[in-house]
Amino acid sequence: MQVTSEAVSGVARRLNVSVPTSRVNEQFEARLKRTAKTAKINGFRPGKVPLNVVRREYGAGIYQEVVNDVIRDTVFEAIQQEKINAVGMPNIEKVENKEDALVYEATVEVYPEVKVNAFDTLEVERKTSEIKDADVDTMLENLQKQRQTWVETKGMAKKDMQVTFDFEGTVDGEKFEGGAAEDFKLVLGSNRMIPGFEDGIIGMKKGEEKVIDVTFPEDYQAENLAGKAAQFKINVKLVEKAKLPEIDAEFLTIFGLSEEDGVEKLKADVRKNMEREVKNGLRNQVKGAAFDALVAANEVEIPASMLAQEIDRQRQQMIQQFTQQFGAQGAQAFDSSMLPDELFKEQAEKSVKLGVLVSSILAESKLEVDQARVDAYINDMASSYEDPTEVVEYFKNDEKQRAQIEAVVLEDQVVDHILASAKVTDKAVSYDELLKEQQARQQA
């Protein structure tokens, strides 16, 4: 077999393959003989059909099957022979049967080869943060709010109070679908309703009725209401204010603490969890910043097949998340056409480029995963569980799970490698600012 190759782009190679006719004919004759053993043709007993008759009846179809199989086998032989790092399936073109050879062209996409620019041109902002006593107190208050109860108040409805009311809406004097409800509960300030609705209830008392004027947003999901002025008749039935639970023995038991442990032990545990959260948040922030700078500073041509695979991976991941949130029944009603390629293309391109760049850095720097860092990562993660030893043993004995941790740690090592040369600027942020940035990155 003769093979020549040429580059048609930075991520594609064209192979010109010539397979000796003798190889094709040899496989054709062998398959013809196998077919003769089972062929059923009128006038002949099974297995006794003359070869020339089988050739006449089935020869053309068998020959085409052989040609397809030979191309399938030889194209991968050719890729290996030319030492091509192929991605995706090759595209076969211009198949021709010549007197002495079967010739064809195959175009195959290849893994991108990149030369990563020097890291000293990269500018990376690295956030720093520390937990303050006020942050711990706020977190403790949030834990109380999660378990708060509601008690009736005779006063006026204010922000953060819960109001139970009936309402009935009209547009141009006509009622509309979904515009009425009874015993509706709403925490003022939650922004669950259209702009102006909650503001109109503030100041009302139990037993009071009122008509409020609001305007539906221009982008409201119900097109027949978008941008329309509306009136809502409100009848307040109950106004309640939040009552936080006391941090007493009962409250402490929720977190596995006794009365003897006291509030200070709860605060210490809360601080420890927050510090772990901050540590992970800062690591993810600087990793994201370093990788963003890396992608922005390097041109990477990516094969269409790699992009398609990543788009499909992200689509399947979203469907899986949808299934987890709404169950299998909800997922069945989920139409994949609701998730077109364009929805994932930008993020997928970035992800593929980053993967190529990181692979190149690993190959050039010869970085290998630091097992001591892997163990430290697992121990830190396990410390948040009731039985850390059990968690450590799980990751120690499950190769797949440990491999996932190793991949995360190796990425961290790449980030450290980049930051060692990059222009790094440190910026102190509060705990809340760090969390908001994390949430924004996850939603992006």
Side-chain angles (χ1 to χ4, degrees):
M1 182 175 72
Q2 295 181 342
V3 182
T4 60
S5 63
E6 59 180 326
V8 292
S9 75
V11 290
R13 301 290 182 272
R14 180 181 294 118
L15 297 170
N16 295 286
V17 184
S18 176
V19 183
T21 301
S22 58
R23 177 169 175 173
V24 179
N25 290 340
E26 181 181 336
Q27 292 191 28
F28 171 66
E29 293 297 330
R31 190 168 301 186
L32 203 64
K33 292 176 182 178
R34 290 199 302 271
T35 303
K37 293 179 181 180
T38 58
K40 294 181 180 180
I41 298 178
N42 291 336
F44 299 95
R45 288 181 296 168
K48 299 298 183 179
V49 183
L51 199 59
N52 65 323
V53 176
V54 176
R55 190 187 306 274
R56 185 184 67 231
E57 295 292 328
Y58 302 109
I62 291 175
Y63 188 80
Q64 189 57 53
E65 289 177 2
V66 169
V67 168
N68 292 340
D69 289 349
V70 168
I71 292 175
R72 179 199 63 201
D73 295 338
T74 56
V75 71
F76 290 107
E77 291 177 19
I79 289 171
Q80 291 180 339
Q81 181 177 314
E82 294 298 298
K83 296 181 173 58
I84 292 174
N85 189 6
V87 296
M89 296 297 293
N91 183 39
I92 308 301
E93 301 172 308
K94 299 182 180 178
V95 179
E96 184 178 357
N97 278 300
K98 294 188 175 181
E99 183 176 345
D100 59 346
L102 168 69
V103 297
Y104 63 88
E105 288 184 2
T107 303
V108 60
E109 290 187 311
V110 299
Y111 194 85
E113 294 182 4
V114 297
K115 177 64 177 177
V116 181
N117 294 327
F119 301 142
D120 57 10
T121 63
L122 303 183
E123 296 183 1
V124 179
E125 184 177 77
R126 178 172 55 196
K127 303 290 176 65
T128 62
S129 186
E130 61 179 24
I131 301 298
K132 302 182 182 299
D133 291 343
D135 296 324
V136 176
D137 291 339
T138 299
M139 181 60 71
L140 205 59
E141 185 178 347
N142 289 338
L143 294 176
Q144 290 175 280
K145 286 180 178 179
Q146 292 171 7
R147 294 158 180 83
Q148 69 185 11
T149 56
W150 297 98
V151 294
E152 183 177 357
T153 177
K154 301 298 183 182
M156 295 185 298
K158 299 177 182 178
K159 186 179 178 183
D160 297 326
M161 287 185 177
Q162 180 171 266
V163 181
T164 303
F165 59 98
D166 299 339
F167 68 86
E168 183 178 85
T170 58
V171 171
D172 297 330
E174 298 292 331
K175 298 178 183 179
F176 55 89
E177 185 178 354
E182 294 182 353
D183 296 326
F184 188 82
K185 293 183 181 294
L186 176 68
V187 176
L188 300 179
S190 61
N191 296 320
R192 287 175 54 195
M193 311 300 282
I194 62 175
F197 191 100
E198 296 178 25
D199 292 339
I201 298 176
I202 290 177
M204 295 183 69
K205 295 182 179 181
K206 177 181 177 180
E208 186 176 348
E209 289 188 2
K210 178 181 179 182
V211 175
I212 61 175
D213 294 310
V214 296
T215 301
F216 283 96
E218 293 291 342
D219 59 352
Y220 193 67
Q221 60 268 28
E223 293 183 3
N224 63 312
L225 298 175
K228 295 287 185 67
Q231 294 74 43
F232 282 90
K233 180 181 178 181
I234 307 295
N235 177 17
V236 174
K237 292 182 172 181
L238 183 65
V239 178
E240 298 171 295
K241 62 181 180 181
K243 180 182 180 182
L244 299 181
E246 296 290 335
I247 303 180
D248 52 17
E250 182 180 354
F251 188 82
L252 291 172
T253 58
I254 297 174
F255 303 96
L257 300 175
S258 66
E259 188 173 6
E260 289 73 23
D261 291 321
V263 178
E264 292 307 314
K265 179 63 168 65
L266 177 59
K267 285 186 175 183
D269 289 348
V270 168
R271 178 183 288 274
K272 185 177 180 181
N273 288 333
M274 293 174 70
E275 288 174 344
R276 184 184 299 108
E277 191 175 20
V278 165
K279 179 181 177 182
N280 292 334
L282 293 175
R283 185 182 69 244
N284 291 333
Q285 179 275 321
V286 75
K287 178 186 291 188
F291 283 167
D292 286 348
L294 180 67
V295 171
N298 291 274
E299 289 293 330
V300 181
E301 184 179 3
I302 58 178
S305 57
M306 288 182 70
L307 178 60
Q309 290 171 9
E310 178 59 20
I311 287 174
D312 189 59
R313 187 194 70 79
Q314 292 187 16
R315 180 187 290 111
Q316 293 305 318
Q317 186 179 52
M318 182 173 288
I319 292 174
Q320 185 178 18
Q321 292 172 348
F322 183 89
T323 303
Q324 291 173 346
Q325 185 174 358
F326 299 102
Q329 187 173 359
Q332 289 177 355
F334 194 77
D335 188 351
S336 59
S337 64
M338 297 167 59
L339 301 175
D341 288 359
E342 288 301 318
L343 183 64
F344 305 96
K345 187 176 180 181
E346 182 178 352
Q347 186 59 37
E349 285 181 345
K350 180 180 176 182
S351 180
V352 173
K353 289 179 181 180
L354 179 60
V356 171
L357 291 168
V358 170
S359 294
S360 179
I361 293 171
L362 288 172
E364 185 174 339
S365 64
K366 296 181 171 55
L367 279 173
E368 294 183 356
V369 65
D370 185 339
Q371 294 299 332
R373 288 181 67 161
V374 173
D375 291 337
Y377 187 101
I378 292 174
N379 289 331
D380 182 58
M381 181 174 57
S383 66
S384 63
Y385 289 82
E386 187 174 347
D387 187 352
T389 303
E390 183 179 345
V391 177
V392 171
E393 286 299 315
Y394 170 72
F395 281 100
K396 183 183 293 184
N397 297 319
D398 191 308
E399 292 184 3
K400 183 178 179 180
Q401 293 296 328
R402 186 176 179 90
Q404 291 179 352
I405 300 298
E406 288 177 345
V408 173
V409 170
L410 191 55
E411 277 192 350
D412 290 342
Q413 291 178 235
V414 171
V415 171
D416 291 344
H417 184 64
I418 293 172
L419 296 181
S421 303
K423 301 172 183 176
V424 181
T425 303
D426 289 324
K427 179 182 179 182
V429 296
S430 69
Y431 173 74
D432 284 341
E433 289 173 327
L434 180 64
L435 287 190
K436 288 178 181 177
E437 181 178 318
Q438 283 292 102
Q439 292 170 356
R441 179 174 285 273
Q442 290 171 359
Q443 294 170 359

